[in-house]
Amino acid sequence: MEVLVAGGIGYIGSHTCVKMIESGMQPIIVDSLLNAKVEVLSRIEALTGKKPIFYQGDIRDEIFLDMVFRSHKIQSVLHFAGLKSVSESVLEPLRYYDNNVNGSLVLIRSMRKAGVKSIVFSSSAVVYGHSDVMPVTESFLTGMTTNPYACTKYIVERCLTDLFASESDWSITLLRYFNPVGAHPSGVIGEDPKGIPSNLMPIITQVAIGRREYLSVFGNDYPTPDGTGIRDYIHIMDLVEGHVVALESISGKSGLRVYNLGTGKGFSVFEMIEIFNQVCGVRIPYQICQRRLGDIAECWANPEKAKHDLGWTAKRSMIEIMEDTWRWQLKNPDGY
Ligand code: NAD
Ligand code: UD1
């Protein structure tokens, strides 16, 4: 099965391509290299023995996309291509709407012209906004978003939902990720954030390796057992297995499906620091700072729907998450 992987050089896309090749699928990668390095392709080849087909280009370039669809027998699209920083999106909202929303519209239009009507979209738990009830299920209200990044995810979900309402032969899967972390267990590929990372896990490992002095803990006065924020951290390999299972089960089947991809368990910032200390043997110096604007106290998934419909469940432990992240960081102290 040939699958166009938009944004396939990035963190989640690269791990997914490895899993797809191992499962006998052929990824056709389209990536503008906006937030990724071409070196990733050699790493994928080192792991799988196959260099994926790669087209450098922007999904907002319709002529380019039409050419890619004409050149292959693509059956499905995995759509990872997007900008993902909440803080950046607040500073540059138009850039986020253009890249994430306009890019998705161009991609969907090009798919339609090519007769490819199967898409798996990388959405996020941010579409749920704030919720007082945990865990989060797919039926919770969406759209009460608090920043432009989250809004772009919600808008693309709506576009795809409305498209399905008018053309019911589409196969549309919206995957709402909780907090993807970790790396391939080989340490050959992993997360390589450009500039200063804003997510917890890359900061922990950068502190551990000496690239930064300490971790700023954003608030210890939340209504949680230890006062720090609680999140549902999912191992990247579990997350990508969810994509492959989704691809396998939806191929050729029309429908609109929405799944949370999370573990169903939450960990606090202090727990993450402590587990990292114990598993990797490195102490993480930290300072308590003010809460980060827009942060919520806690968020974790109810992943039962994906288990019931797809037979998918996250299997890897927090210990494996820490070990694999640390192995990647030690092998690649400066990233790719
Ligand atoms: P990433 O930045 O590592 O990967 C995204 C890839 O898309 C990059 O390689 C980038 O170069 C490419 N890209 C961006 N805009 C493009 C465009 N217009 N045309 C072509 N290529 C383009 O991010 P990631 O962590 O792998 O995330 C993948 C997707 O999952 C994103 O859409 C993100 O919003 C979503 N998501 C990520 C997380 C997370 O924590 N990583 C959580 C929820 C949702
Ligand atoms: C963030 C994004 C969210 C995105 C998700 C996954 C924000 C407000 N939200 O969510 O849109 O989908 O990443 O990419 O940016 N923390 C610290 N110190 C740090 C970094 C984080 O204490 O330096 C804490 C946070 O307050 C939070 C937890 O660690 O409690 C996890 O933070 P992070 O990794 O940024 O993920 P989210 O906030 O869940």
Side-chain angles (χ1 to χ4, degrees):
M1 171 159 59
E2 289 192 312
V3 179
L4 188 146
V5 187
I9 303 271
Y11 172 45
I12 303 174
S14 57
H15 289 77
T16 308
C17 285
V18 167
K19 198 75 210 170
M20 287 169 71
I21 295 170
E22 287 170 357
S23 308
M25 297 177 188
Q26 167 74 71
I28 314 285
I29 299 179
V30 165
D31 199 301
S32 62
L33 300 181
L34 184 66
N35 193 34
K37 299 202 182 103
V38 77
E39 162 69 12
V40 171
L41 287 175
S42 313
R43 305 284 181 108
I44 295 175
E45 187 180 12
L47 286 172
T48 62
K50 272 195 180 170
K51 198 162 192 157
I53 297 166
F54 170 56
Y55 291 91
Q56 183 175 350
D58 198 296
I59 58 163
R60 289 167 295 180
D61 181 347
E62 196 160 343
I63 294 169
F64 158 72
L65 276 186
D66 291 348
M67 178 276 293
V68 177
F69 279 111
R70 269 197 311 273
S71 308
H72 299 275
K73 286 201 175 75
I74 291 163
Q75 292 174 32
S76 243
V77 171
L78 288 183
H79 178 18
F80 297 107
L83 293 165
K84 62 168 180 178
S85 161
V86 170
S87 52
E88 201 179 59
S89 78
V90 174
L91 297 173
E92 299 178 83
L94 295 185
R95 185 166 162 247
Y96 268 68
Y97 284 109
D98 183 40
N99 195 74
N100 293 6
V101 178
N102 183 29
S104 298
L105 290 178
V106 175
L107 173 62
I108 296 161
R109 205 159 51 222
S110 182
M111 289 176 67
R112 196 156 170 260
K113 274 188 275 176
V116 179
K117 293 191 163 189
S118 170
I119 184 168
V120 177
F121 175 59
S122 295
S123 191
S124 165
V126 291
V127 298
Y128 294 115
H130 290 224
S131 169
D132 293 333
V133 183
M134 288 297 142
V136 178
T137 64
E138 290 84 350
S139 59
F140 278 29
L141 187 70
T142 57
M144 303 301 285
T145 49
T146 53
N147 58 71
Y149 164 71
C151 209
T152 66
K153 289 288 160 194
Y154 174 68
I155 292 172
V156 176
E157 281 204 2
R158 275 304 297 264
C159 288
L160 287 165
T161 306
D162 291 342
L163 173 65
F164 182 73
S166 75
E167 295 179 27
S168 60
D169 56 339
W170 277 77
S171 170
I172 294 170
T173 307
L174 311 176
L175 297 181
R176 294 179 181 153
Y177 311 155
F178 280 68
N179 292 61
V181 286
H184 190 274
S186 62
V188 171
I189 56 172
E191 186 173 13
D192 180 21
K194 268 192 185 164
I196 302 166
S198 54
N199 295 125
L200 180 66
M201 210 49 222
I203 296 178
I204 288 183
T205 53
Q206 289 197 0
V207 171
I209 204 131
R211 274 169 73 179
R212 49 195 69 250
E213 232 179 291
Y214 60 88
L215 165 75
S216 301
V217 174
F218 296 143
N220 64 348
D221 56 353
Y222 281 107
T224 58
D226 66 20
T228 65
I230 294 179
R231 296 291 185 276
D232 185 338
Y233 298 94
I234 174 169
H235 195 298
I236 183 77
M237 298 313 295
D238 280 326
L239 187 87
V240 305
E241 281 168 15
H243 289 70
V244 172
V245 168
L247 269 180
E248 284 167 346
S249 71
I250 62 159
S251 62
K253 286 187 211 141
S254 57
L256 173 73
R257 305 164 188 92
V258 187
Y259 296 111
N260 284 340
L261 292 187
T263 66
K265 283 189 228 65
F267 287 85
S268 74
V269 177
F270 280 159
E271 283 174 325
M272 295 292 280
I273 296 173
E274 186 50 36
I275 301 171
F276 188 88
N277 286 349
Q278 283 179 13
V279 173
C280 305
V282 186
R283 202 181 61 81
I284 303 295
Y286 65 83
Q287 288 185 9
I288 306 295
C289 304
Q290 289 203 328
R291 291 180 180 193
R292 181 171 62 180
L293 212 64
D295 261 358
I296 50 178
E298 51 187 15
C299 182
W300 68 90
N302 178 336
E304 282 305 310
K305 188 163 176 248
K307 186 177 178 187
H308 177 268
D309 291 6
L310 305 173
W312 172 88
T313 181
K315 297 185 200 80
R316 292 158 178 89
S317 67
M318 185 53 76
I319 291 174
E320 284 168 282
I321 287 177
M322 296 299 180
E323 285 173 346
D324 293 342
T325 313
W326 190 222
R327 188 178 304 106
W328 152 254
Q329 185 73 79
L330 282 175
K331 279 186 154 185
N332 305 270
D334 299 314
Y336 287 112

